[in-house]
Amino acid sequence: MGPPLVGLVLLAAAGLKLAGQAVSPFAQQGILTAPHLQALAVVWEILLGVWLISGVYRPAAWLAAVGTFSLFALISGYLGWMGQANCGCFGVIRASPWAAFTIDVIALTLLLLARVNRSTVSPAPQEARGVGFAGLLVGAVLILTLLAVGAWLRYGSLEAALARLHGQSLYAPTYVDFGSASAGQELVQDIILTNWTDAPIRVIGGTSDCSCVTTSSLPLTIPPGERRAVRVVLRPPGAVRGWLTRRAELWTDCERQPVVRLVVGCRVE
């Protein structure tokens, strides 16, 4: 009973995230906020949940589930230790990282107990397992196709759908690569911001210091459903060599998303 129950928990968690327009099982921390990574995480929850419930290739499903919940437990435990109030693991239901950590540990315990109990059960015939696995793959492809088609029809593009599911009003690339540069060289690049709301959004300011400037083309108004370029200037310090990354912010008058965070970087030669 353990794996199917854990599968139901995964499906419920994925549904709550989608219902709450928040697809991140890892809360709002760093690179994990990238919409495509978060959407993939929810898809993985759905696929793993269906896999566990189907009972196909149980040893592989068990290993995948143990690895997944071990990772979830590490992340939720870290967020709890850092003092974050809401882990974002259950979408519309606000839960502390320690509550999520407890659920992860319970899920791991159920999986371990199920493994012990199943050691006395004879495995299914190889042919039956092969048919079941083929059915699982077909189901997974069907789920992904339906999700993609539904997102395209509802929002006009997959990019817009990911931004909306993540609760974003403004979409910007999570990481912008400025390429290679010499120490002290000034690099300039335009970053495209997309307004997914039905009202104009005004970008009123942003990061401005000795190494990164985002304010050279601000303030800027982005009409609803349109895109505008924000010029970003990156100046690698003279003492830096190798890869340089710098966190930057853009500030808006949008109550739902007052800050747009991104990471810019380059290789200093």
Side-chain angles (χ1 to χ4, degrees):
M1 183 59 187
L5 180 59
V6 172
L8 289 175
V9 170
L10 285 169
L11 293 177
L16 288 170
K17 293 184 189 73
L18 294 175
Q21 291 190 339
V23 299
S24 174
F26 309 116
Q28 306 302 308
Q29 297 291 329
I31 191 66
L32 296 175
T33 62
H36 62 282
L37 291 180
Q38 296 169 354
L40 286 175
V42 171
V43 171
W44 172 244
E45 284 185 329
I46 294 173
L47 294 181
L48 182 56
V50 173
W51 190 3
L52 289 170
I53 293 172
S54 71
V56 176
Y57 278 107
R58 291 174 178 174
W62 182 86
L63 286 174
V66 168
T68 298
F69 277 97
S70 296
L71 178 61
F72 286 177
L74 286 173
I75 294 174
S76 57
Y78 171 74
L79 295 178
W81 179 68
M82 292 293 292
Q84 182 160 312
N86 178 33
C87 68
C89 305
F90 304 105
V92 294
I93 300 177
R94 292 182 62 86
S96 73
W98 291 121
F101 178 80
T102 301
I103 293 175
D104 295 334
V105 171
I106 292 174
L108 285 170
T109 302
L110 290 174
L111 290 168
L112 292 173
L113 290 175
R115 183 67 172 176
V116 172
N117 294 335
R118 190 168 290 120
S119 62
T120 59
V121 179
S122 58
Q126 184 70 29
E127 182 178 351
R129 289 190 296 174
V131 173
F133 186 65
L136 180 63
L137 286 178
V138 172
V141 172
L142 180 61
I143 290 174
L144 291 174
T145 302
L146 290 175
L147 287 174
V149 171
W152 187 277
L153 293 176
R154 175 65 178 83
Y155 298 109
S157 71
L158 293 180
E159 183 184 46
L162 293 175
R164 286 297 185 91
L165 288 174
H166 185 49
Q168 289 182 315
S169 300
L170 277 176
Y171 175 78
T174 305
Y175 176 76
V176 180
D177 187 358
F178 279 69
S180 300
S182 302
Q185 178 183 352
E186 182 175 282
L187 302 174
V188 179
Q189 190 164 152
D190 288 338
I191 295 176
I192 304 300
L193 293 179
T194 306
N195 179 1
W196 297 120
T197 71
D198 55 3
I201 294 178
R202 187 172 173 81
V203 184
I204 56 179
T207 301
S208 181
D209 55 35
C210 59
S211 62
C212 184
V213 177
T214 63
T215 57
S216 61
S217 57
L218 302 179
L220 173 70
T221 299
I222 307 176
E226 295 189 16
R227 302 181 179 189
R228 293 292 186 271
V230 173
R231 180 150 295 180
V232 176
V233 179
L234 184 63
R235 303 188 186 100
V240 174
R241 292 293 184 276
W243 285 105
L244 168 70
T245 57
R246 177 75 166 80
R247 295 184 181 274
E249 293 183 349
L250 294 168
W251 309 323
T252 80
D253 64 354
C254 177
E255 293 184 0
R256 187 175 184 181
Q257 192 178 359
V259 179
V260 178
R261 295 182 175 87
L262 51 102
V263 177
V264 297
C266 68
R267 180 174 180 81
V268 183
E269 298 175 343

